[in-house]
Amino acid sequence: MRSDDNIRYIKGVGEKRAELFYQLGVESVGALLRHYPRGYIDRSHPLKLREAPFDRPCCIKAKVFSEVREIYVRHKMVIYKFFANDGEENVEITLFNQKWVAEKLEFGKEFLFYGLVNRTLLSCEMSAPEIYDVSEQNVCPIYPQTAGLNSKAISKVIKTVLEQYIPLDPLPEALRQKYGLVSLKEALFGIHFPTSMKQLENARRRLVFEELFFLQTGILFQKSSRSSYTPVRITDRALDEFKSLLPFNLTEAQALAVNECLKDMNSGRPMSRLVQGDVGSGKTAVAAALAFCAARDGWQTVIMAPTEVLAGQHFKTFQNLLQNSGIKAVLLTGSVTKANKARIKEAVLNGEYDIVIGTHAVLQEDVRFKRLGLIVTDEQHRFGVEQRTSLTSKGNEPHMLVMSATPIPRTMSLIFYGDLDISIIGTLPKGRQPIKTYLIDSSIRKRSYNYIRDHLDQGRQGYIVCPMVEESETTDLASAVKYYEDIKENDFKGYSVGLLHGKMKPKEKDAVMKAFASGEIQLLVSTTVIEVGIDVPNAVIMLIENAERFGLSQLHQLRGRIGRGEHASTCILLSDRKGNETRQRLKFMCSTTDGFKVADEDLRLRGPGDFLGKRQHGLPELKIADLSEDMELFRAAGNAAKELYSTDPHLRKPENECLRQEIATLFKTAKMYGYN
Ligand code: ADP
Ligand code: MG
């Protein structure tokens, strides 16, 4: 038998069953062995009745202590009742229709009863427990199953395989010893047929380690396989000139990030760097500094933004900065007319523009450059890895900078951006006042309107966000529009109120954003299109309606639109949802403005799968590791990956051969190791 054998050749499987296994995503013997249980019923340590938890099933070991009474309720409905005794007390057990079970229940014989123990002052009973022989006093796996293929059947097939075949252990002996990991054989038996929770724990530990080790090793080798040469050299020659054009001084953190990037960009190797900084930390200025230096050294830069509004805003920022510098920027988005597009593209190819700013329209269309030196993608979490790499083909090994607010925890970023070097802008520009956040319900909505009006009267601006989680939800759209029309005529009569939503034409959006940025619009009613990147420092107040409909990271992004200037800012979360969980989540928002904390909490609440979006990160799926809980193993596995890389950078040692193959299959390409 081999790992890549199809499962239909396993004894007792055959065509029909194989189909069912395929439905579970299990096609090969190897995949079958890695089809881990999703949970276990622990029958290994039966409890006494008095120890039984009141809220969940457990396993009791007891002797049949009475005759089994048969009660005929009606046609074809029989109830069996009997007492069992655990050595301390009696429990009354009821079974429904299970004649074959009832027949086994000899007086005095001991069994395991798995179920919920119901206890009142006067009685102790179990209704329809599962009944097992004492020989089955073990930990029983529950598999992801499908109709026609239950846990028991799956377990049996796995047993058949494990009796005759154990795959080679991809973790070298020395590594296992160092990290205290059991062998693959022990792990597979332990995870599929545990005899105790301890054995299960050891098995799980080994398999989680292995998974995180493969993942991090793969990423590490991918990183090291990055091209090692680029003709693009960008120096810091023009940096002082850029600083003199900037209306403020770069913060230390910004300057550091700029320097790290410039160092990379003048190293002769292509840069792949992530600049991570909380909303409002000033990432745009970092990108601008680099694009400026690139331009002065004769290289073009392309800057990609996830939305048209944001691209437009970046373009404006750049235009202001570059006014008298002779460096030319151009905006290229989906809404540029065909004729203009053709003209711009030609000019880009001729090198007339130094900086091209746009949405992914830039990426999808056939834009070509004369001397592309730097690619910047803003708010990267919106783009997948593939989009990232498809851009690099537009130049001759250009440098790549990815900018992201911090909507993901550090560990996640290691995975999501594992192939990148990371710079962190850890501080906000000076003089920012922390945003105060409050949670209210609609009974005091009017008071919050008063509060907003006070601020507008003082010359400030504000946002009201209506939830439109999917921009396609037409009913939400209708309600946002209605909301806008209503407050414009009533509570905010006499004020200048604007509306912004995703269904508007780019031109309209643009006009609204311009009017808001210039202060002409005082209060902007908006859907989540403002979530990303919008920068109007005079906006200091935000009311978020139906706040419960947003995730924590999204709320953080929204809130990041205020608190960007010298004035104190306030965010009001409005929700009538009374549920405990919702309350806690929203109260958490009131307790911190730290993006990392928000991201961690969000991950904890939503789990990693949801967090990363299914497989859009282009990395192998995690089958057993849980990133919110297995942090320690994650770190240990990361260290092991680095050690491996330093001792065998090409995985050529014979003891690592099996490992190399596993990782290559996992990452679907063996090419990254430079051979095959
Ligand atoms: P983000 O990191 O969220 O993209 P932005 O680049 O939009 O943040 O910057 C947020 C605001 O901070 C902008 O108004 C920008 O002009 C301002 N800003 C950036 N850097 C500094 C600085 N060093 N000093 C003062 N203000 C700054
Ligand atoms: Mg930004």
Side-chain angles (χ1 to χ4, degrees), residues 248-251 254 278-285 379 429 432 533 535 537 564:
F248 43 73
N249 291 327
L250 288 178
T251 63
Q254 283 170 317
D278 211 342
V279 278
S281 61
K283 294 181 289 290
T284 316
E379 308 295 349
R432 294 279 172 80
D535 183 39
R564 302 189 141 235

Side-chain angles (χ1 to χ4, degrees), residues 376-587:
V376 179
T377 48
D378 192 12
E379 308 295 349
Q380 171 70 24
H381 61 286
R382 298 255 170 142
F383 297 110
V385 176
E386 275 151 40
Q387 276 167 303
R388 212 153 76 199
T389 37
S390 85
L391 257 182
T392 47
S393 63
K394 287 186 179 290
N396 189 4
E397 302 295 348
H399 298 291
M400 195 172 66
L401 177 71
V402 168
M403 303 197 292
S404 169
T406 333
I408 58 176
R410 284 168 213 268
T411 39
M412 285 287 155
S413 72
L414 271 177
I415 293 177
F416 201 60
Y417 302 119
D419 53 332
L420 307 180
D421 299 313
I422 300 184
S423 294
I424 291 181
I425 307 184
T427 52
L428 300 181
K430 278 206 192 65
R432 294 279 172 80
Q433 308 210 29
I435 304 168
K436 292 210 174 72
T437 305
Y438 301 99
L439 175 60
I440 65 168
D441 62 32
S442 57
S443 69
I444 55 170
R445 182 185 272 116
K446 294 280 169 194
R447 261 171 63 193
S448 73
Y449 286 166
N450 283 340
Y451 189 74
I452 296 174
R453 274 196 303 266
D454 284 348
H455 283 82
L456 302 187
D457 291 341
Q458 288 163 28
R460 305 283 82 76
Q461 290 165 280
Y463 298 97
I464 294 182
V465 181
C466 294
M468 192 152 140
V469 179
E470 294 294 330
E471 288 289 340
S472 57
E473 288 176 20
T474 36
T475 49
D476 282 347
L477 175 60
S479 67
V481 174
K482 210 164 137 250
Y483 188 100
Y484 158 74
E485 279 164 359
D486 179 55
I487 63 163
K488 193 173 69 159
E489 291 310 317
N490 298 299
D491 294 273
F492 290 91
K493 203 175 170 90
Y495 292 86
S496 157
V497 184
L499 174 68
L500 186 71
H501 62 74
K503 282 279 145 57
M504 287 163 64
K505 295 214 177 70
K507 277 235 168 66
E508 298 169 334
K509 271 194 240 174
D510 202 45
V512 171
M513 274 323 295
K514 276 207 179 99
F516 188 62
S518 71
E520 198 182 305
I521 292 177
Q522 294 173 284
L523 179 64
L524 186 61
V525 176
S526 166
T527 60
T528 49
V529 280
I530 59 147
E531 182 188 341
V532 174
I534 303 279
D535 183 39
V536 179
N538 190 43
V540 298
I541 186 148
M542 175 177 283
L543 169 66
I544 303 179
E545 291 275 354
N546 291 96
E548 76 280 352
R549 287 179 61 181
F550 298 100
L552 283 180
S553 294
Q554 209 179 5
L555 285 172
H556 183 69
Q557 285 283 317
L558 284 169
R559 185 170 62 177
R561 301 309 110 217
I562 55 174
R564 302 189 141 235
E566 58 199 300
H567 302 285
S569 292
T570 309
C571 177
I572 303 169
L573 307 175
L574 196 151
S575 173
D576 285 330
R577 199 65 76 72
K578 291 284 174 271
N580 236 342
E581 254 171 65
T582 313
R583 288 271 132 191
Q584 265 174 18
R585 193 157 54 88
L586 296 177
K587 284 224 172 98

Side-chain angles (χ1 to χ4, degrees), residues 10-232:
I10 301 170
K11 210 175 113 214
V13 177
E15 299 288 337
K16 266 213 177 116
R17 271 235 165 127
E19 284 299 328
L20 296 173
F21 273 108
Y22 298 161
Q23 281 174 29
L24 293 171
V26 175
E27 295 191 1
S28 64
V29 165
L32 177 71
L33 294 180
R34 303 290 182 163
H35 185 66
Y36 304 127
R38 62 174 161 75
Y40 298 85
I41 296 175
D42 183 8
R43 300 190 299 243
S44 66
H45 291 88
L47 301 179
K48 291 290 179 200
L49 284 160
R50 71 178 146 76
E51 298 170 316
F54 65 91
D55 56 348
R56 66 201 134 83
C58 67
C59 184
I60 303 288
K61 193 178 190 175
K63 280 183 180 149
V64 179
F65 209 61
S66 73
E67 294 299 317
V68 178
R69 285 182 290 144
E70 276 176 77
I71 304 159
Y72 290 85
V73 184
R74 56 173 189 272
H75 183 57
K76 287 196 175 161
M77 173 68 160
V78 189
I79 291 178
Y80 301 92
K81 275 184 180 290
F82 63 98
F83 284 96
N85 185 289
D86 70 351
E88 293 181 355
E89 63 181 314
N90 283 344
V91 56
E92 184 172 28
I93 294 174
T94 310
L95 299 179
F96 302 91
N97 277 346
Q98 291 170 288
K99 189 169 162 60
W100 72 98
V101 181
E103 278 171 357
K104 304 196 298 189
L105 300 169
E106 274 169 51
F107 186 90
K109 201 171 163 195
E110 199 166 35
F111 290 93
L112 300 169
F113 300 94
Y114 185 87
L116 189 67
V117 175
N118 277 316
R119 194 183 271 285
T120 62
L121 261 183
L122 297 174
S123 72
C124 175
E125 48 184 50
M126 290 178 94
S127 180
E130 289 160 31
I131 301 180
Y132 304 95
D133 281 354
V134 281
S135 66
E136 291 179 280
Q137 186 169 330
N138 55 17
V139 183
C140 168
I142 309 293
Y143 287 93
Q145 52 195 27
T146 183
L149 190 62
N150 64 19
S151 274
K152 212 165 183 170
I154 294 171
S155 179
K156 208 167 151 194
V157 178
I158 292 176
K159 189 157 205 165
T160 308
V161 172
L162 280 182
E163 270 163 7
Q164 45 183 309
Y165 171 69
I166 306 284
L168 276 179
D169 195 332
L171 296 185
E173 172 81 41
L175 185 132
R176 269 187 284 136
Q177 287 209 337
K178 175 159 185 188
Y179 291 93
L181 305 169
V182 301
S183 70
L184 181 60
K185 179 176 175 182
E186 280 175 84
L188 289 176
F189 273 98
I191 204 83
H192 291 297
F193 306 103
T195 50
S196 69
M197 290 314 266
K198 181 73 198 157
Q199 191 196 7
L200 172 61
E201 197 182 303
N202 285 337
R204 188 178 179 280
R205 188 166 175 278
R206 136 90 203 210
L207 295 171
V208 169
F209 182 98
E210 178 186 275
E211 189 164 75
L212 296 176
F213 175 65
F214 286 172
L215 181 71
Q216 294 182 85
T217 305
I219 289 169
L220 197 64
F221 282 82
Q222 231 171 27
K223 204 166 171 174
S224 71
S225 74
R226 280 196 318 228
S227 169
S228 58
Y229 172 76
T230 176
V232 183

